């Protein structure tokens, strides 16, 4: 098994904090294409756009669209597909603006409960919406969604809100209640504490992914689709954890 297909970034420009996660579609390996190239290039491009201020905080879909267009026009040949989730916290309006394409996603947790979350987008079982660049002969055969198809939301956040952004490697292996149990251990909003909690969530998901008897959310979803599946789902796991706090330099 090969891993390393996830990518992420955290960037800031003036009054906006921007986070992103992407999961390269592993099926490209069968065609000799490294799936991490697409997701990694997509996230690096998003990060650069944010740092250059080439975005509007209330329009995270725009960040995806501009990045994807750059990839399409790239002078360096690039093939692959990826899901993507972009989360923008506008510090002036205290609003969270999000764009999610596929099965990565985010949760907003307040007072120990999920108060806002992304919707997963699937064409059919285990086939998420995705941005793609296919070789000319495969165009029309490879699934390719427009960045505009991303589910976008706006949500007013409060001090102390926890924002968890992650790839499907987390959500396929850990149900909400387990994630919330881990987040309860977060005693304060200092960097070390957040880092430790993010790591413990990722490690627990990783452990469950390799448990053959565990009824994971992925296995449950498979059963709902008429497949007899048990166990976790080994996959890349990326977890970004942030807390809405008073801003000080």
């Amino acid at each position: 098994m090969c891993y390393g297909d996830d990518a992420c970034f955290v960037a800031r420009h003036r009054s906006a904090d921007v986070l992103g996660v992407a999961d390269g579609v592993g099926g490209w390996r069968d065609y000799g294409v490294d799936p991490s190239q697409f997701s990694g290039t997509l996230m690096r491009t998003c990060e650069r756009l944010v740092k250059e201020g080439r975005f509007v905080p209330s329009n995270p879909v725009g960040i995806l669209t501009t990045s994807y267009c750059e990839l399409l026009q790239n002078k360096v040949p690039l093939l692959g597909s990826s899901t993507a989730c972009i989360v923008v916290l506008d510090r002036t309006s205290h609003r969270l603006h999000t764009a999610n394409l596929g099965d990565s996603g985010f949760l907003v947790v307040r007072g120990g409960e999920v108060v806002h979350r992304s919707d997963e987008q699937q064409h059919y079982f285990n086939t998420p919406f995705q941005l793609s660049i296919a070789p000319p002969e495969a165009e029309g055969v490879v699934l390719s969604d427009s960045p505009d198809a991303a589910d976008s939301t706006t949500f007013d956040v409060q001090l102390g809100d926890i924002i968890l952004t992650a790839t499907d490697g987390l959500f396929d292996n850990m149900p909400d209640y387990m994630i919330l149990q881990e987040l309860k251990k977060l005693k304060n909003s200092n960097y070390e504490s957040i880092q430790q909690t993010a790591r413990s969530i990722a490690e627990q998901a990783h452990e469950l992914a390799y448990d053959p008897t565990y009824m994971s959310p992925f296995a449950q979803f498979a059963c709902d689709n008429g497949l007899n599946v048990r166990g976790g789902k080994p996959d890349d796991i990326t977890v970004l954890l942030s807390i809405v706090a008073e801003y000080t330099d």
Side-chain angles (χ1 to χ4, degrees):
M1 300 291 276
C2 300
Y3 298 109
D5 306 343
D6 279 7
C8 66
F9 78 93
V10 178
R12 167 181 290 179
H13 185 263
R14 293 195 179 135
S15 65
D17 288 298
V18 187
L19 317 170
V21 295
D23 178 8
V25 174
W28 282 94
R29 254 192 211 94
D30 300 342
Y31 303 94
V33 173
D34 175 357
S36 69
Q37 289 292 318
F38 189 92
S39 53
T41 308
L42 181 69
M43 291 292 97
R44 282 192 299 275
T45 307
C46 289
E47 180 177 13
R48 196 189 73 247
L49 291 173
V50 170
K51 287 179 171 172
E52 290 172 357
R54 291 167 54 197
F55 73 105
V56 178
S58 60
N59 181 22
V61 174
I63 301 174
L64 271 185
T65 305
T66 312
S67 299
Y68 181 52
C69 286
E70 276 204 21
L71 264 55
L72 289 171
Q73 294 157 7
N74 208 335
K75 304 296 178 277
V76 184
L78 179 71
L79 297 175
S81 317
S82 175
T83 63
C85 181
I86 303 284
V87 172
V88 182
L89 176 63
D90 187 337
R91 290 201 293 270
T92 44
S93 66
H94 299 176
R95 282 198 165 147
L96 196 69
H97 303 283
T98 64
N100 185 54
L101 187 83
D103 57 4
S104 292
F106 67 88
L107 302 175
V108 180
V109 177
R110 179 182 299 163
E113 288 181 10
V114 176
V115 290
H116 181 51
R117 67 177 318 143
S118 53
D119 282 329
E120 195 175 278
Q121 295 175 311
Q122 299 265 9
H123 286 287
Y124 39 87
F125 173 66
N126 206 24
T127 309
F129 280 37
Q130 51 200 264
L131 299 175
S132 303
I133 298 179
E137 66 274 12
E139 274 172 17
V141 181
V142 169
L143 268 180
S144 186
D145 297 287
S146 160
D148 291 334
D151 181 51
S152 51
T153 70
T154 295
F155 184 75
D156 291 323
V157 292
Q158 297 176 8
L159 286 176
D161 282 359
I162 299 169
I163 304 158
L164 178 143
T165 313
T167 54
D168 65 328
L170 174 67
F171 302 119
D172 281 344
N173 288 299
M174 269 179 100
D176 284 3
Y177 81 89
M178 278 191 196
I179 295 171
L180 292 173
Q181 264 172 352
E182 286 301 311
L183 291 176
K184 281 198 178 87
K185 298 174 187 171
L186 198 53
K187 290 292 173 265
N188 57 49
S189 58
N190 69 32
Y191 184 81
E192 287 69 29
S193 178
I194 298 171
Q195 175 71 54
Q196 194 179 348
T197 304
R199 183 172 289 281
S200 83
I201 288 171
E203 285 173 352
Q204 193 173 335
H206 179 255
E207 222 166 278
L208 291 166
Y210 288 92
D211 182 341
T213 60
Y214 167 60
M215 198 61 180
S216 63
F218 178 81
Q220 191 66 61
F221 189 35
C223 291
D224 294 345
N225 281 272
L227 299 162
N228 186 15
V229 175
R230 272 196 93 79
K233 181 173 182 261
D235 196 1
D236 289 318
I237 298 161
T238 300
V239 179
L240 301 181
L241 197 54
S242 19
I243 295 183
V244 181
E246 287 285 8
Y247 179 67
T248 57
D249 276 324

